[in-house]
Structure formats: C-alpha cells, structure tokens
C-alpha cells in the first residue's frame, strides 16, 4: 500500500531515490512474487500523467466561417460601444465630496491582528490523535463483490470507503479537523516497475484525496485467497489506504514525507517510510475492528493472506506488519498506532 499526502510534487513529476512518490502517493504492497504480466512495483514509482490542454475545436470553413467571424466582429463592436458609454457616464457623473468628521476607526485597530498566524507544528511522535479513544464500531453493508467486474470493484471500494469515513469522522471532528472525504477509483494499469519487491494493490494520493485500487494485482492476489476469506482481506486493504488518508488529514503524512526528503542516509529514509506504512497497517486493524463483526479469526485471516508473505524494506517485516495490525485491532486508544515513537526493532 502506498500513500501520497497533499502538497507533493506536481502531477507528472518523476520520483527520485527511495522516497518514491513523495507526499502525494502511498501504496499497499503484496509481498508475494509479482504476477508475470504485472511485475512487482517499486514503491512510489507511479505518478499521475501531467494534464494536457484539450485541442482547439475545428475551424469552420466556407460561408459558415465567414458568418462566425462576422458575428464576432459585430459582438466586439457592440461591446466596445457599451464600454465607451460606460466610460463617458463615469467621467461625466459629478462626484460627491467625501464626508468629513466622524469617528477615526483606525483607533480601534490593533497592528497585531495584521500579523500572519503562527505555523502549526506537527509532532508525529506526540500527536493529539494518539490521545483519541478507538472509534466506535459502525454498521457497514457492503455490496457483493464480483472480482472480474471493474464496476463492481469501484462500487465495493466506494461503499467500504463510506463505512471508514463514518468510522473515522468522530475522531477527526474531535480534533477540530474538517477533512474532505476521499474519492475512490480503480485502474487497470499496474504502476509497478519490473525490479520491485511485491506489487502494489492500492495507493493513496493526497494531492487528489483519492484511493485507487490496482485491479490486475488485486485479482492476482485474490486468486490465491479462499473465496470465503477475500472480503476480509479487501476490507483490511481499504482500511490501510484510509489510514493514509487519516495521516494526510492530521498532517502526519506531510511531515513523514519531509523526514524522508531530509534524511541523511537511505537507511533513515526507509525508516521514516516504514513507520508511515506500519502506522497505516495499524489503522487497518482499527478499520477491521470497526466495520466487521468478526472475532479474532478475522485478524488471523488477514495476517495469513496479507501479512504472511516476505519482508519488505519499505513496509516492514511480515512479523512487524502483523504486530501493528493487531495493535490497531486490540488496543483502547489510537495511541497504539504511534509507530513514530516506537523502538527501532518494532519498525524494521
């Protein structure tokens, strides 16, 4: 899973180094060998294509073209006439002298009010979010997923996203945050480079407040999961990506990106990225507990199918991924997801 916080590089910018896509792109990864047709991604390698200006409309030909030009000329002449009249009216209208006397309102102004507000400092290891109690469970009705249907996948993702929005909204409201709900989309193109470990299942883009599911890769993984266990795995996937959205809304994701950019070594850069991804995995545990009525077997199913593969330098070891998922599932406060304050061996 990858994420992208807002304020990142402009669309189309090419990532450099292990920091990947910057604050705009965070993705969920499967640790298994990538499918043959869709090789495993290098994390953060994908960027939306740059915007292009649409081509101009075709130029009219023959008499119709002359008519258009003539009409435009008449319209311009009328507009200029109207402008001239308005100028004359303004110039010829006598102006009233400004009133004298009265109260000098400047006496009631304070210079301090003109100063810009102080910048808000976000401490990723000591954040008010960590004091919040776990959100109360919500009823979540999801449509039956038809894995081979693009439309079904988009509807499923949007429905689960609505449940996660309802789950997290009270937490963000209590923090005084009015976060825009993310958009949910699907893509049939894998963002994965050929030499990456694992492959991207979904990613979050903070620049667009959007969560995108990579259909060829989730279908590849889904073929390896028992049919009766797939929904729980996909709920965990969406919970992880929504966790990146919570990080974005609280300012954590942007600071994480800054830490990665300013890191002096590749090891420090990867450490910052793993803390970000493992926190999102912990938030996946919060999401699972909050929108399912399953017992501990739900956690076991997700860990077996989602965190049971190999270790990833960008997303942590399989053991640590499972540990943080359980932290979000079992602990009483969101502070259980404070990966930024965790010991180094817990975020390897």
């Amino acid at each position: 899973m990858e994420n992208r916080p807002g304020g990142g590089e402009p669309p189309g910018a090419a990532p450099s180094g292990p920091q990947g896509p910057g604050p705009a792109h965070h993705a969920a990864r499967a640790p298994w060998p990538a499918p043959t047709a869709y090789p495993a991604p290098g994390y953060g390698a994908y960027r939306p294509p740059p915007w292009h200006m649409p081509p101009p409309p075709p130029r009219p030909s023959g008499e119709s073209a002359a008519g258009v030009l003539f009409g435009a000329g008449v319209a311009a002449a009328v507009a200029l006439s109207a402008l001239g009249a308005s100028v004359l009216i303004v110039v010829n209208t006598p102006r009233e002298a400004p009133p004298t006397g009265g109260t000098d309102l400047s006496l009631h102004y304070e210079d301090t009010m003109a100063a810009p507000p102080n910048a808000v400092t976000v401490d990723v290891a000591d954040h008010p979010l960590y004091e919040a109690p776990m959100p109360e469970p919500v009823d979540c009705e999801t449509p039956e997923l038809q894995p081979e249907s693009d439309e079904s996948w988009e509807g499923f993702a949007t429905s689960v996203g609505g449940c996660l929005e309802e789950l997290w909204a009270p937490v963000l409201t209590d923090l005084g945050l009015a976060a825009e709900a993310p958009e949910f989309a699907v893509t049939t193109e894998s963002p994965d480079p050929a030499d990456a470990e694992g492959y991207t299942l979904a990613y979050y883009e903070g620049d667009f407040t959007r969560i995108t599911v990579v259909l060829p890769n989730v279908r590849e993984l889904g073929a390896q999961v028992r049919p009766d266990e797939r929904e729980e795995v996909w709920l965990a996937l969406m919970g992880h990506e929504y966790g990146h959205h919570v990080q974005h809304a609280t300012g954590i994701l942007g600071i994480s990106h800054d830490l990665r950019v300013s890191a002096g070594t590749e090891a420090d850069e990867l450490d910052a990225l793993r803390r970000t991804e493992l926190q999102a995995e912990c938030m996946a545990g919060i999401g699972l507990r909050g929108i399912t009525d399953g017992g501990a077997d739900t956690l076991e199913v997700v860990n077996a199918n989602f965190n049971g593969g190999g270790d990833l330098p960008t997303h942590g070891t399989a053991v640590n991924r499972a540990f943080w998922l359980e932290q979000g599932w079992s602990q009483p406060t969101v502070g259980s997801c404070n990966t930024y304050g965790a010991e180094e061996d817990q975020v390897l």
Side-chain angles (χ1 to χ4, degrees):
M1 304 161 194
E2 296 195 8
N3 57 50
R4 297 187 176 185
E9 300 148 349
S16 59
Q19 74 266 20
H25 180 199
H26 282 261
R29 300 286 199 66
W32 297 272
T36 302
Y38 302 96
Y43 73 87
Y46 173 75
R47 286 283 187 175
W51 294 102
H52 296 285
M53 183 175 292
R59 181 177 177 179
S61 58
E63 295 181 1
S64 60
V68 170
L69 292 175
F70 175 76
V74 172
V78 171
L80 288 173
S81 299
L83 177 61
S86 66
V87 171
L88 290 174
I89 292 171
V90 171
V91 170
N92 294 331
T93 300
R95 300 180 178 179
E96 297 181 3
T100 59
T103 304
D104 183 1
L105 296 179
S106 65
L107 298 176
H108 300 278
Y109 296 153
E110 292 186 15
D111 292 341
T112 55
M113 297 298 290
N118 294 328
V120 176
T121 301
V122 176
D123 187 340
V124 291
D126 185 17
H127 195 287
L129 172 66
Y130 304 144
E131 299 176 5
M134 285 297 183
E136 293 295 324
V138 298
D139 291 331
C140 183
E141 296 293 333
T142 58
E144 182 178 356
L145 176 62
Q146 304 296 327
E148 298 308 313
S149 167
D150 296 3
E151 293 76 13
S152 179
W153 252 112
E154 187 167 7
F156 177 83
T158 301
S159 177
V160 175
C163 296
L164 292 167
E165 173 74 13
E166 183 181 355
L167 178 73
W168 281 102
V171 175
L172 298 180
T173 298
D174 287 347
L175 291 173
L177 301 173
E180 177 185 0
E183 172 191 354
F184 293 85
V186 298
T187 181
T188 56
E189 297 183 6
S190 173
D192 304 339
D195 59 349
E197 298 182 66
Y199 48 95
T200 301
L201 299 170
Y203 53 85
Y204 175 73
E205 297 169 286
D207 290 342
F208 303 99
T209 321
R210 182 169 61 208
I211 292 171
T212 301
V213 177
V214 183
L215 294 179
N217 292 350
V218 295
R219 286 168 179 154
E220 178 71 16
L221 175 59
Q224 305 174 42
V225 179
R226 285 174 41 177
D228 61 330
E229 296 179 349
R230 288 173 186 165
E231 181 172 347
E232 292 165 319
V233 173
W234 303 142
L235 291 177
L237 173 65
M238 300 308 299
H240 178 110
E241 296 309 323
Y242 204 94
H244 286 313
H245 176 64
V246 173
Q247 291 173 324
H248 174 53
T250 55
I252 292 174
L253 199 55
I255 296 301
S256 169
H257 174 254
D258 293 344
L259 290 173
R260 291 159 58 192
V261 170
S262 62
T265 66
E266 181 179 353
D268 288 342
E269 189 172 358
L270 286 171
D271 178 77
L273 178 58
R274 283 195 301 272
R275 290 176 190 271
T276 302
E277 291 296 340
L278 289 170
Q279 183 174 78
E281 189 65 4
C282 183
M283 291 177 175
I286 295 176
L288 267 180
R289 184 173 75 170
I291 64 176
T292 69
D293 55 4
D297 58 327
T298 298
L299 196 63
E300 294 173 3
V301 164
V302 173
N303 273 328
N305 290 286
F306 197 60
N307 290 327
D311 301 340
L312 290 171
T314 59
H315 287 61
T317 65
V319 170
N320 280 338
R321 294 197 307 270
F323 168 77
W324 286 107
L325 182 74
E326 185 172 355
Q327 283 288 101
W329 172 274
S330 62
Q331 299 302 308
T333 70
V334 181
S336 64
C337 293
N338 183 5
T339 56
Y340 295 97
E343 297 295 331
E344 183 178 357
D345 61 344
Q346 294 179 320
V347 292
L348 291 175

